[in-house]
Amino acid sequence: MDGSLFALIRGRIADPDADFLVEADGTRLSYGGMLDRSGRLANLFVRLGVRPGDRIAIQAEKSAWALIVYLATLRVGAVHLPLNPAYTPAEVRYFLGDAEPALFVCRPGQEAEMRALAAELGVPRVETLGADGGGSLAAAALEQPAEFDDAPRDADDLAAILYTSGTTGRSKGAMLTHRNLASNAETLRIAWRFTAADRLLHALPIFHTHGLFVATNVSLLAGGSMLFLPGFDLDAILRLLPHATAMMGVPTYYTRLLARPDFTRELAAHMRLFVSGSAPLSAETHREFEARTDHRILERYGMTETNMICSNPYDGPRIPGSVGRALPGVAVRIAAPESGRVLPEGEVGIIEVRGPNIFKGYWRMPEKTAEEFRPDGHFITGDMAWMDEAGYVRIVGRARDLVISGGLNVYPAEVEAAIEELPGVAECAVIGVPHPDFGEGVVAVVTARPGEPTPDEANIRAALRDRLAAFKQPKRVFLIDALPRNTMGKIQKNALRERYAETFTP
Ligand code: AMP
């Protein structure tokens, strides 16, 4: 049987006239239109020499056409390789050299530079795609016929390679198969009750698993539509919210919405679902959002390599500060980091996971891949967590963000949650930096909540005295304007560790 993700998507199209996506200016693309455009582009890809299994790399602004590139890539049986538009040419050089794509789609403004780079690296074809659909790619596609025979694929063939943001060492290409993507999208569609009646507010980037796979594939498998914004734009979101039924975002989307007085209960009243992921949603934000809107944000957890792993339930308790339970068909366990021994309930260890959602390995890095799997096939996520008796998982931080102070483990999430409950604190990040006595000293970096008295170091430290054991209490607290974050809203703790590296060891 054909294991191609696109075959599954195609099978779900009940009404070709139904909306597939609607852009911010009201431009509509129906499912029939999506088939037409992706068919033309697939024909172009074949003419350009793309064969099944080849990589097609794209570094472009988010647009309907950029999404069509993904779908046409699936239709020709090639491997989608999206690159963050923020990557510099030096970074792009690494990705193109590593992935050796048959075709690179870049932005018109960078054409000359990227052509030179491609020529040097032996990438045979370069086409351009602008934010508005301009450039060579869409124009050439529109001259091709719309009919296209989709390439059949085995479920274990690659559908995409996504390079991980990799804050340490070289960025790794996570190889995702048709089965990985199809199984996870289907699981989420059912878990979150997506149907053809849904209209998803889509403001996430489409070079990352969240916006590309979670949001888009779930919508496609439900036969629903998307309100497709080129980026996160609060005014546009507030304007379009009344036309949506569901929204997926990173936690900062929700904190920014809450900062707007015109984000009201009435505006969200008709919504069916708000989903958060890609970074921890603080319990504070969860509660504030509920107080404001009556909606309990549904938090889920996953990563590029694994697709989605855990989710709070659609029906049933959505617990603030928890990422919920293992999704159906996904096995999750908490293990001792070194030995891999499975730990009892309530003990903190590393999250290990197995299932049809887990990637095939890192592109051309068999040794790195082998290091991250246990002999029984569980993938070692690198996230530290504990699980309660009901199976709800609480993430306490990345293993590499764990602070070891005086030989004792300090889990940043616990300290961050305690600080975020204090008056005047908006957000907090806890890091460990070199300390002459303790090895690492706990440092908290906080931002102030507008309209409330500015928190100060002495008050925060005093308030924590009877809330946290002494070894967990920050030895220093710094107030800054904003925490450094990447595009997915993840706090860049590396940057903070560098900035505060000499706090105790001048
Ligand atoms: P990425 O591969 O860019 O999606 O990053 C995956 C990482 O994001 C995970 O390994 C977690 O560290 C983090 N992450 C994703 N979702 C959550 C969540 N709901 N809560 C806490 N961390 C999360």
Side-chain angles (χ1 to χ4, degrees), residues 221-297:
L221 292 196
S225 61
M226 297 187 276
L227 286 168
F228 207 63
L229 299 183
F232 180 78
D233 170 348
L234 261 182
D235 289 317
I237 289 184
L238 289 168
R239 183 166 57 78
L240 294 174
L241 206 54
H243 305 286
T245 62
M247 175 173 158
M248 294 184 192
V250 296
T252 36
Y253 289 12
Y254 296 112
T255 51
R256 288 188 201 165
L257 274 172
L258 285 170
R260 286 281 295 249
D262 49 344
F263 176 59
T264 58
R265 180 181 306 264
E266 292 70 40
L267 208 62
H270 68 290
M271 287 286 282
R272 184 176 74 74
L273 182 63
F274 290 94
V275 177
S276 176
S278 291
L281 177 77
S282 79
E284 273 304 290
T285 304
H286 187 283
R287 292 195 190 101
E288 247 184 81
F289 199 88
E290 186 179 12
R292 177 85 66 91
T293 65
D294 270 346
H295 284 284
R296 298 173 70 82
I297 298 174

Side-chain angles (χ1 to χ4, degrees), residues 35-46:
L35 284 175
D36 180 287
R37 277 199 202 178
S38 59
R40 292 177 196 275
L41 188 53
N43 277 308
L44 178 67
F45 284 164
V46 171

Side-chain angles (χ1 to χ4, degrees), residues 208-209 278-280 299-304 323 383 395 398 490:
H208 183 269
T209 185
S278 291
E299 185 174 11
R300 96 307 179 269
Y301 154 71
M303 60 196 298
T304 302
V323 296
D383 290 310
I395 295 180
R398 292 288 295 166
K490 287 190 222 292

